[in-house]
């Protein structure tokens, strides 16, 4: 089997897995892989990723010109081209709409809390690229702000994007993002997340090399400091800044590896004397009853 034949078959298999796992519906999602020094194999537009065949794939150059194929390439080709332009090390790009991760993207909540050691060592953090109209030049511009520092990201009100040194590597990162989103959602529904301390996060970062993981960028030394949030000029004439390190929300441990209390994004809740108040937890039924009572009192 030739290299091109193998890659075509691999794209079909990755599409089948995404559809079987519910990461795509109908004709959602797109996949591409480098083929040679200056060519890409890409999924066509308007095709369900669970029912593709190898002959459906399009061959394009790195400028997006179709070189081969009976169908037109994905309408989100520009996003793929931006990734390959900025990341010569990337060999494959996967875009899908995994439901839980996309829920975080819709809610505007990045997956950047230090919760799982495996995620910290493989992906670091998963930011949210700002909303952009799909299939337009806005989307690659939004993705371009983060792709130099991240192998995976959420797309606001859209889905998720992952890249890798090979096609299955990119796909497995999509699995990791959705798995992380499920665990994070369950922990938040249960009322708390035990966060890994910053000192342990930095220790895990050092282990990346031991695991043979080549991260695109280090974890930011101080994500609370705007100057340390890891942004720099694009370097291609555009004024927008790009991420140069990975923001991970991890409190100082003070000798502890896990921090048992989950603080609100704005910090702890304080009373009028400046003392931290205990967290208030209500069931859905209790909250509904309080809302109903408040409404009755207004009548």
């Amino acid at each position: 089997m030739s290299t091109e034949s193998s890659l075509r078959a691999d794209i079909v298999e990755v599409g089948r897995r995404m559809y079987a796992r519910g990461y795509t519906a109908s004709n959602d999602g797109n996949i591409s892989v480098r083929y040679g020094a200056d060519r890409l194999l890409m999924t066509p537009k308007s095709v369900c990723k669970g029912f593709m065949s190898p002959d459906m794939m399009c061959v394009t150059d790195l400028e997006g010109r179709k070189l081969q194929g009976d169908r037109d390439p994905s309408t989100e080709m520009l996003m793929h081209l931006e990734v390959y332009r900025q990341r010569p090390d990337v060999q494959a790009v996967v875009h899908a709409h995994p439901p839980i991760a996309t829920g975080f993207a819709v809610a505007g909540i990045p997956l950047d809390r230090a919760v799982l050691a495996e995620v910290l060592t493989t992906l670091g953090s998963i930011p949210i690229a700002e909303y952009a109209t799909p299939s337009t030049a806005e989307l690659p511009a939004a993705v371009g702000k983060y792709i130099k520092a991240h192998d995976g990201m959420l797309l606001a009100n859209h889905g998720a994007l992952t890249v890798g040194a090979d096609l299955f590597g990119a796909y497995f990162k999509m699995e990791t993002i959705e798995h992380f989103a499920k665990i994070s959602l369950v922990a938040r529904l249960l009322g708390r997340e035990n966060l890994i301390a910053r000192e342990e996060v930095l220790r895990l970062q050092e282990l990346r090399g031991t695991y043979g993981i080549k991260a695109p960028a280090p974890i930011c030394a101080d994500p609370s400091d705007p100057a340390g949030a890891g942004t720099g000029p694009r370097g291609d004439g555009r004024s927008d800044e790009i991420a140069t390190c990975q923001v991970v929300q991890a409190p100082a441990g003070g000798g502890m590896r896990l921090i048992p209390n989950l603080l609100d994004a704005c910090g702890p809740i304080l009373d009028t004397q400046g003392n931290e108040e205990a967290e208030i937890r209500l069931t859905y039924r209790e909250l509904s009853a309080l809302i109903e009572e408040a409404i009755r009192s207004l009548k």
Side-chain angles (χ1 to χ4, degrees):
M1 185 178 287
S2 68
T3 300
E4 181 180 353
S5 298
S6 298
L7 291 174
R8 286 174 179 269
D10 288 346
I11 291 176
V12 170
E13 175 60 19
V14 167
R16 185 194 66 79
R17 294 188 188 194
M18 290 200 306
Y19 186 72
R21 284 182 169 269
Y23 294 177
T24 62
S26 185
N27 298 332
D28 295 347
N30 30 80
I31 304 164
S32 68
V33 62
R34 287 190 194 266
Y35 167 50
D38 58 355
R39 293 188 176 190
L40 302 175
L41 274 171
M42 186 175 299
T43 51
K45 65 181 181 181
S46 304
V47 169
C48 176
K49 304 308 171 290
F51 299 92
M52 295 188 297
S53 58
D55 60 287
M56 291 181 178
M57 305 311 150
C58 302
V59 178
T60 75
D61 62 16
L62 294 178
E63 299 299 321
R65 291 183 288 265
K66 187 175 77 169
L67 304 176
Q68 182 182 339
D70 295 331
R71 299 167 182 261
D72 291 331
S74 168
T75 57
E76 292 180 337
M77 175 178 61
L78 294 177
M79 176 175 65
H80 292 248
L81 296 176
E82 177 72 6
V83 173
Y84 292 118
R85 187 187 68 78
Q86 290 209 38
R87 292 282 301 275
D89 60 308
V90 165
Q91 298 298 311
V93 177
V94 172
H95 167 53
H97 304 162
I100 308 300
T102 301
F104 275 83
V106 170
I109 303 172
L111 292 167
D112 62 356
R113 287 178 175 172
V115 175
L116 296 177
E118 294 80 4
V119 174
L120 290 169
T121 53
T122 56
L123 283 170
S125 69
I126 299 112
I128 299 180
E130 65 188 33
Y131 178 75
T133 304
S135 306
T136 70
E138 294 177 1
L139 188 55
V143 168
K145 294 181 181 180
Y146 293 98
I147 194 60
K148 278 190 176 293
H150 295 273
D151 284 346
M153 69 186 74
L154 303 179
L155 309 176
N157 292 72
H158 188 166
L161 176 81
T162 52
V163 304
D166 57 64
L167 182 54
F168 281 97
Y171 165 70
F172 288 140
K173 287 170 185 172
M174 185 67 69
E175 283 193 352
T176 296
I177 287 180
E178 180 67 354
H179 189 60
F180 179 26
K182 289 179 182 178
I183 292 171
S184 185
L185 177 62
V186 169
R188 295 178 193 215
L189 289 174
L190 292 174
R192 67 188 303 159
E193 287 177 301
N194 288 327
L195 301 185
I196 298 173
R198 174 150 292 272
E199 295 83 351
E200 180 67 9
V201 168
L202 297 178
R203 189 177 297 114
L204 290 168
Q205 178 179 232
E206 294 174 357
L207 290 175
R208 283 175 164 179
T210 303
Y211 298 147
I213 299 169
K214 186 177 180 181
I219 291 170
C220 300
D222 184 6
S224 64
D225 179 5
T231 59
R234 283 180 175 270
D236 60 2
R238 283 181 281 182
S239 60
D240 294 346
E241 293 189 332
I242 63 170
T244 57
C245 63
Q246 299 177 348
V247 174
V248 174
Q249 303 301 329
M256 299 174 61
R257 290 193 172 189
L258 293 178
I259 309 300
N261 295 322
L262 172 60
L263 301 181
D264 181 78
C266 298
I269 300 174
L270 305 178
D271 61 20
T272 55
Q273 282 74 45
N275 300 313
E276 185 174 342
E277 292 185 339
E279 182 181 1
I280 299 175
R281 299 183 185 179
L282 297 173
T283 66
Y284 179 77
R285 182 173 296 177
E286 290 170 335
L287 179 60
S288 298
L290 287 174
I291 293 174
E292 290 175 1
E293 183 180 348
I295 292 173
R296 285 197 297 270
S297 68
L298 294 174
K299 293 181 179 179

